[in-house]
Amino acid sequence: RPKTGFGGPLRSWVQTSWKEKLRDTLYNKNSYLHQWMDPKAIHQLYESTMSGKIDGSYSLVSLYCMEQWGQKFLKAKL
């Protein structure tokens, strides 16, 4: 059979060990994300994921990575 990708336990990490890191980053009022996107929508995604209503794990990690990118590369240009 053909090769298949290997996925990490991202959903589990988001609900446990990354939960506080994601919250602190996504709720930071100085976040680059808040300049690019609606903070209420970001917070709703986080809360809905943590409550189990939806699985937005991959989206939350993507948002976290975008914020980290902004802090590293955009802050350097200021």
Side-chain angles (χ1 to χ4, degrees):
R1 82 181 193 213
K3 287 184 171 183
T4 60
F6 173 77
L10 195 61
R11 289 180 185 103
S12 174
W13 292 340
V14 164
Q15 293 285 336
T16 57
S17 59
W18 292 2
K19 184 177 183 174
E20 289 180 20
K21 181 188 303 193
L22 288 170
R23 183 190 64 231
D24 293 346
T25 300
L26 300 176
Y27 279 80
N28 182 347
K29 294 186 189 247
N30 297 320
S31 168
Y32 285 101
L33 290 173
H34 292 187
Q35 297 173 26
W36 303 326
M37 299 174 193
D38 180 14
K40 290 179 185 177
I42 295 171
H43 302 163
Q44 183 178 7
L45 174 65
Y46 177 85
E47 295 299 330
S48 296
T49 299
M50 293 306 156
S51 69
K53 290 181 184 176
I54 64 167
D55 179 14
S57 301
Y58 285 86
S59 297
L60 290 174
V61 171
S62 295
L63 290 169
Y64 177 81
C65 290
M66 286 175 60
E67 177 61 28
Q68 295 305 306
W69 179 88
Q71 288 180 13
K72 181 169 182 154
F73 295 105
L74 297 179
K75 196 175 224 178
K77 291 185 177 191
L78 297 177

